[in-house]
Amino acid sequence: MGMTRTPLIAGNWKMNLDHLQAVALVQKLHWSLKDASHEFDDVDVTVFPPFTDLRSVQTLIDADKIPFGIGAQDLSEHDSGAYTGEISGEFLAKLNIGSVIIGHSERREYHAEDDRVVAAKTQAALKHGLVPVICVGETSEDLEKFGASAVPVGQLETALENVNADAEIVVAYEPVWAIGSGQAATPEQAQDVCQKLRDVIRAKLGNAAADATRVLYGGSVKSSNIASFMREPDIDGALVGGGSLKVDEFSAIVRFGKHVGV
Ligand code: PGA
C-alpha cells in the first residue's frame, strides 16, 4: 500500500442483486462499518451495482449521507445515438456516478471487447468526468506462454494511449484464472505485476500520475487474504467480486487495516 494513496476497496457486484436488494446491502454495509467504528476517511469504498440499481443506490447514499462511491460496470464508447442497449457516460454523470469499470475480463470474453474498445471506453469515461477503473490481466494460457506480466502490461499500454497526464484513473490487475476461482494470486506475484503496471503509468503519464494512481488487485479477494495484498507497496486496494455480496465479508475486507495492524 503506497504511503500517500488512500486505499480503495471496490465491490463489483456483476449481475447480482436487484435494486431492492442493492439498497438493503448498502444500508447494511454502512451499519456494519459504523458498528465497528470504522474510520471512513481511511479507506475509500465504491460499489458497482447493475445499471438498474444505480438510481436507487444513489438516492439512498445521498439521503443518508453514506460515504461510499458509486460506479457503473460498463459504459458505451459513444455519447448517444442508435446503439440499442448501450449506456452513455453522459447519463451516468447525470446520476452522479463517479467511476466506471472498463475492460473487465468478463466483458473482454463474452462481449469481445478488445484493447481498442477498452481504450475508446476509457476516453469516453474521462470525457464525461468518470474515473475509469481499467481492468487488465492474463488468462491461464497467457500465464503459461508469456508469464504473468506481459499481457496486462500490453493491455494497459493500449488503454493509456491519448490519456492526459493529469487524468484520474484507477488500474485493476485481475488475473483471469484468479477471478471467481477461489485461487487468488500470491501477494508476491500480484505485487510484481502491479509494480510493472505502475511503471507503465510512469512511462505514459509521468511521475506524478504514477505516484497518485491507485493500482488494485482483484481475483478471489477475501477477508482472510486482503491484508497480505495490502502489505505490498504497489497494491492500493482491491476489486472484489463474490466477497462484496455478503455484508460481513465485505465489511471485514474494508476493515483490512485491523488485520494488517495499521
Ligand atoms: P472475484 O471477482 O472476487 O469473485 O474473484 C473479482 C472480479 O471479477 O472483479
Side-chain angles (χ1 to χ4, degrees):
M1 183 172 50
M3 296 311 284
T4 55
R5 298 180 288 271
T6 304
L8 170 62
I9 302 294
N12 173 15
W13 294 357
K14 310 191 179 185
M15 198 172 73
N16 295 292
L17 307 181
D18 64 37
H19 69 289
L20 300 173
Q21 295 168 323
V23 162
L25 179 59
V26 168
Q27 235 158 5
K28 284 184 192 153
L29 180 64
H30 187 217
W31 289 331
S32 162
L33 291 169
K34 279 209 297 198
D35 279 352
S37 304
H38 175 67
E39 286 290 343
F40 286 91
D41 289 346
D42 291 354
V43 182
D44 288 343
V45 177
T46 300
V47 292
F48 293 82
F51 286 121
T52 50
D53 301 359
L54 290 175
R55 176 70 169 142
S56 308
V57 170
Q58 183 257 339
T59 302
L60 167 72
I61 279 178
D62 266 17
D64 290 6
K65 300 193 171 49
I66 297 177
F68 298 165
I70 318 171
Q73 296 176 15
D74 183 33
L75 87 173
S76 173
E77 64 183 279
H78 308 288
D79 290 346
S80 66
Y83 301 102
T84 301
E86 299 263 297
I87 304 287
S88 166
E90 201 175 316
F91 309 158
L92 297 173
K94 276 268 159 61
L95 277 181
N96 291 328
I97 302 305
S99 53
V100 57
I101 295 174
I102 293 178
H104 190 278
S105 67
E106 288 148 19
R107 304 273 337 157
R108 292 180 190 260
E109 184 179 350
Y110 307 134
H111 301 271
E113 290 192 9
D114 58 14
D115 291 348
R116 185 207 64 80
V117 172
V118 171
K121 290 187 171 190
T122 299
Q123 291 300 321
L126 292 170
K127 176 177 176 186
H128 297 293
L130 303 160
V131 176
V133 179
I134 303 165
C135 298
V136 296
E138 81 287 2
T139 64
S140 49
E141 295 86 68
D142 295 335
L143 183 64
E144 256 173 51
K145 273 198 224 152
F146 314 112
S149 60
V151 167
V153 159
Q155 288 172 336
L156 187 60
E157 280 171 347
T158 309
L160 295 187
E161 268 165 33
N162 304 314
V163 169
N164 288 335
D166 59 356
E168 184 181 353
I169 61 166
V170 171
V171 172
Y173 168 52
E174 298 205 303
V176 180
W177 48 269
I179 294 176
S181 67
Q183 184 64 58
T186 62
E188 294 72 26
Q189 190 217 306
Q191 160 60 26
D192 182 60
V193 179
C194 288
Q195 183 176 16
K196 291 189 167 98
L197 295 173
R198 197 177 301 286
D199 290 343
V200 172
I201 301 168
R202 196 175 305 281
K204 292 268 174 196
L205 308 181
N207 282 329
D211 293 343
T213 298
R214 290 177 292 190
V215 179
L216 314 182
Y217 167 75
S220 297
V221 169
K222 305 183 200 69
S223 58
S224 56
N225 63 20
I226 180 71
S228 62
F229 290 107
M230 297 307 291
R231 274 192 208 104
E232 299 292 343
D234 287 295
I235 301 178
D236 306 310
L239 183 54
V240 186
S244 71
L245 296 170
K246 286 161 277 172
V247 178
D248 293 343
E249 177 65 3
F250 196 52
S251 172
I253 292 171
V254 170
R255 291 180 286 114
F256 68 86
K258 297 278 181 289
H259 326 255
V260 186
V262 291

